[in-house]
Amino acid sequence: MSTKATLFSGMAPSADSLQIGNYIGALQQWVEMQDTYNAIFCVVDLHAITVPQDPKTLAASTRTTAAQYIAAGIDPEQSILFVQSHVSAHTELAWILNTITGFGEASRMTQFKDKAAKQGTEAASLGLFAYPTLMAADILLYDATAVPVGDDQRQHIELTRDLGGRFNSRFGETFKLPEAVIMKETARIYDLQNPEAKMSKTSVSDSGVIWMMDEPSKTAKKIKSAVTDDDREIRFDRGAKPGVSNLLTILSAFTSTPMPELEASFAGRGYGDLKSTVADAVVATFEPMRARALELLSDPAELDRILSRNAARAEELAKPKLATVYERVGLLPRS
Ligand code: AQP
C-alpha cells in the first residue's frame, strides 16, 4: 500500500436495502474520500447479528449492501470492499481487546443503552454489549487513522483510541490510533413521517424511510407525502420546522447547494414545489444506482468472486497484525 493514510468504515446489513440517511451520512462521502485514502469498506455482518435478525435474509442483505456500495461508486479494484465475517482476524482481535476492556468502561457506551432499551435490557445480548470492542478491532487491525462515522459513533472511536493506546503501553507499540472523521453537521436525516426521529434501516414504519432500492415512483410518492407543517415558509429551522428542514437537508446534499442559497431559491414558492424538486433530485441519483445494484445482484457468483478477492486483500493486511498481537500478548505460536 502507498503512503496514503488508511480509512476504515462499514455499515451493517440490517435490512434488504440501505436508506437515504446511510447514503448522505456515509456512502456519498466515502466515494469522495476513496481517492485520498487507502480506503477499506466493510459490510459488517457480525455487527448485524448483535440484535435479533432473520437468518433467512442476512446473506441476501449482505450481498445487497455490497452491491449498493459498488453501485454508489466504491471501486472494489481500488478500495478494499469485503464482508467482515470473511476475515476471522476481526473476531480474534476483538477477543484480545475484550480482555483489556473494563466492564464499567463498556457499560458507559450510550449506543448499547439505546439499542438495549429498544429490545428490553434483559433481552440484550453479550454480543451487543461487546459491539464496540469488535468495532475497535475492525479499525485497529488495519491501522486506520480515518474513520468516517456519524456523530452517534464518536464515543466508540474514543474507546478504540483508549484500547489501542492501552494495548500499546502494556504490550509495546502495535497500533496506530484513529481520529474520528465526523460527517457534516447537516448530514443527519430524519424519518419522513416522524421528522423528530432519525431515519433508520430498522425504523418501524416503511412510509417514513426512503430506501435506495425502492422503485423510483415509490420514492417520489413517499417524498410527496412527507410531513411538513401548517406554515407556508420554506426555511431551515430544525426546531420549528423539522419536516421542511429535513427535505432541505436532503436537497442540499443531492445538489451540493449551501442551505442559504437553497432557501433563497425557494422564496415565495410552496411546499408542493419543494417536494417535487426533492423527489426529482433523489430519483435522478438513485435510479441509476438501483439499476446498477440490480445488475450486480443478477450475477451473485460474480459478486461473490469480487467479495472473495477483496477478503483476501483485507486478510493480507490483517493476518500479520494479528500475529504481532498474539506474540506480544505471549500466546504460544502454533508450530
Ligand atoms: N438518518 C441518518 N442520517 C445520517 N447518517 C446516518 N447513518 C445512519 N442513519 C443515518 C449513517 O450510516 C452509517 C450506517 O451505519 P450502520 O449500518 O452500522 O448503523 P446505523 O448508524 O445504526 O444505521 P441505521 O440505518 O440506523 O441502521 P439500524 O437501523 O440497523 O441501526 C453510519 O455511518 C451512520 O452514521
Side-chain angles (χ1 to χ4, degrees):
M1 278 208 167
S2 67
T3 52
K4 290 176 184 172
T6 299
L7 174 156
F8 183 96
S9 201
M11 289 197 250
S14 46
D16 56 8
S17 171
L18 296 174
Q19 42 89 7
I20 197 170
N22 303 134
Y23 178 73
I24 293 174
L27 197 45
Q28 190 182 28
Q29 307 188 47
W30 293 358
V31 174
E32 287 166 14
M33 295 167 100
Q34 71 177 336
D35 291 336
T36 320
Y37 293 91
N38 286 321
I40 306 175
F41 300 110
C42 193
V43 180
V44 290
D45 54 348
L46 296 171
H47 284 282
I49 63 170
T50 58
V51 291
Q53 54 91 20
D54 182 356
K56 289 195 229 46
T57 56
L58 181 61
S61 298
T62 302
R63 275 203 194 100
T64 305
T65 305
Q68 290 188 276
Y69 286 6
I70 298 172
I74 300 298
D75 177 357
E77 301 298 324
Q78 177 189 352
S79 301
I80 298 180
L81 191 179
F82 74 107
V83 175
Q84 187 184 32
S85 63
H86 292 178
V87 179
S88 61
H90 289 247
T91 40
E92 293 174 88
L93 178 59
W95 179 257
I96 303 288
L97 295 177
N98 281 339
T99 66
I100 62 164
T101 306
F103 187 80
E105 192 174 31
S107 309
R108 283 193 290 276
M109 296 297 119
T110 54
Q111 201 190 55
F112 169 73
K113 290 182 201 162
D114 293 347
K115 290 205 168 182
K118 264 193 191 172
Q119 312 163 36
T121 312
E122 282 303 306
S125 68
L126 198 52
L128 184 65
F129 189 64
Y131 180 114
T133 49
L134 179 58
M135 180 167 162
D138 298 338
I139 297 164
L140 294 172
L141 255 186
Y142 301 98
D143 282 329
T145 50
V147 187
V149 287
D151 190 46
D152 51 335
Q153 295 287 334
R154 190 190 291 269
Q155 202 186 18
H156 291 167
I157 308 297
E158 284 304 318
L159 179 72
T160 303
R161 286 178 59 79
D162 289 348
L163 295 178
R166 190 173 306 157
F167 189 97
N168 286 348
S169 65
R170 277 196 205 164
F171 301 106
E173 202 62 26
T174 307
F175 298 118
K176 282 195 182 164
L177 305 186
E179 297 286 342
V181 180
I182 302 294
M183 300 306 197
K184 298 172 218 155
E185 185 63 35
T186 52
R188 182 167 285 225
I189 305 301
Y190 295 84
D191 190 289
L192 295 181
Q193 291 302 319
N194 176 15
E196 311 284 344
K198 185 190 110 157
M199 192 185 288
S200 261
K201 285 186 240 93
T202 50
S203 291
V204 274
S205 127
D206 179 74
S207 55
V209 181
I210 301 174
W211 299 106
M212 290 178 71
M213 295 302 278
D214 263 349
E215 281 183 24
S217 58
K218 201 166 170 193
T219 299
K221 202 169 159 202
K222 281 183 184 175
I223 294 171
K224 287 176 185 167
S225 315
V227 165
T228 48
D229 52 53
D230 296 336
D231 190 27
R232 289 185 49 81
E233 203 189 344
I234 298 177
R235 66 184 159 81
F236 185 89
D237 181 343
R238 265 229 54 84
K241 304 172 75 69
V244 170
S245 303
N246 196 31
L247 292 172
L248 285 170
T249 305
I250 294 173
L251 191 56
S252 168
F254 275 73
T255 58
S256 307
T257 314
M259 199 52 81
E261 211 175 293
L262 213 51
E263 286 174 318
S265 75
F266 276 99
R269 292 163 70 188
Y271 289 168
D273 208 355
L274 171 65
K275 287 178 176 178
S276 299
T277 312
V278 174
D280 290 348
V282 172
V283 166
T285 302
F286 280 176
E287 194 171 17
M289 286 182 192
R290 173 175 183 269
R292 176 72 182 122
L294 289 174
E295 188 181 273
L296 288 158
L297 290 167
S298 70
D299 188 354
E302 175 54 20
L303 185 57
D304 288 355
R305 273 193 292 276
I306 295 173
L307 294 174
S308 172
R309 247 190 348 256
N310 275 269
R313 291 169 69 204
E315 200 155 50
E316 224 170 272
L317 301 171
K319 263 196 160 168
K321 179 64 95 183
L322 185 71
T324 306
V325 168
Y326 275 22
E327 187 202 318
R328 300 249 155 104
V329 169
L331 299 174
L332 175 67
R334 180 176 150 186
S335 58

